[in-house]
Amino acid sequence: MSQRDDLLAGARRCLAEKGYARTTARDIAAASGAHLASIGYHFGSKDNLMNAAIMEATGEWGDTIEAAVEAASETEPTRRFEVWLDHLLAAIPGERDLLVASIQAFAQAQFDERMRTALAEGGGTARESFAAVLLGLPRDQVGPEERGSVGAAAQALILGLIVQSLIDPGAVPGSKALIAGLRGLTTSPDP
């Protein structure tokens, strides 16, 4: 591994252990085994390194979501949605550090235009993927309406599940309960 890679790995460890705001350049240097000055040489600043580490972590979570998309190849829409949710829900507990870094990225993006732009672009790609798999369409047939409705709803659901799993993991519902809840929200009660 190169020194740059060591710094990224150290920054990711610090994100998981201390969080964005409490991590110092010295913490990263110690966690990576690199010299303090190497942060400036490779990244320009500690904040640039932390942002790179967060973006790397967010990209890895995107890979996990892509795997869920690929796993949901069922033909019946509700079953496809259930398989997709099951895959994501199964991945969440093992990705706690990665998810903490991702949530920190969303908060930090408010102060970093490049990070906000990168996250927005990634979010657009994610919404397109979600809509494609959940509607059973090829990605090139997903239009703005599908991205903005099905894709956005799926993204909101995932982000909510992630936050809930970080705060109260025992309260995260399973796929069947989520589907029943969504049905309950979208159907009118009988008079």
Side-chain angles (χ1 to χ4, degrees), residues 15 19-21 46-48 50-52 54-55 100-116 119:
L15 278 169
Y20 190 99
K46 181 214 51 145
D47 287 342
N48 288 343
M50 293 294 281
N51 291 348
I54 287 173
M55 292 307 297
V100 167
S102 296
I103 295 300
Q104 290 177 2
F106 300 137
Q108 189 59 30
Q110 300 312 302
F111 309 103
D112 186 314
E113 182 65 34
R114 286 185 310 175
M115 184 181 284
R116 186 170 43 252
L119 287 171

Side-chain angles (χ1 to χ4, degrees), residues 187-191:
T187 56
S188 299
D190 292 331

Side-chain angles (χ1 to χ4, degrees), residues 92-166:
I92 287 174
E95 301 288 353
R96 183 172 176 79
D97 293 347
L98 182 62
L99 297 175
V100 167
S102 296
I103 295 300
Q104 290 177 2
F106 300 137
Q108 189 59 30
Q110 300 312 302
F111 309 103
D112 186 314
E113 182 65 34
R114 286 185 310 175
M115 184 181 284
R116 186 170 43 252
T117 300
L119 287 171
E121 289 171 2
T125 301
R127 287 187 295 278
E128 183 176 276
S129 293
F130 301 156
V133 73
L134 295 173
L135 295 172
L137 298 172
R139 281 181 74 161
D140 63 352
Q141 290 183 15
V142 174
E145 184 176 324
E146 293 86 4
R147 267 193 311 277
S149 59
V150 173
Q155 185 178 41
L157 183 62
I158 290 169
L159 292 173
L161 289 169
I162 290 169
V163 170
Q164 189 171 12
S165 74
L166 294 174

Side-chain angles (χ1 to χ4, degrees), residues 22 27 37 55 68 85 136:
R22 291 186 11 212
D27 293 332
M55 292 307 297
L85 282 172

Side-chain angles (χ1 to χ4, degrees), residues 1 7-8 11 25 51-52 58 70 74 79-80 83-84 88 93 95 101 111 132 135-136 141 154 164 167 171 190:
M1 215 186 316
L7 286 166
L8 278 168
N51 291 348
T58 303
E70 291 170 12
E74 298 284 333
R79 180 68 185 130
R80 190 169 45 244
V83 168
W84 181 75
L88 287 169
E95 301 288 353
F111 309 103
L135 295 172
Q141 290 183 15
Q164 189 171 12
I167 295 168
D190 292 331

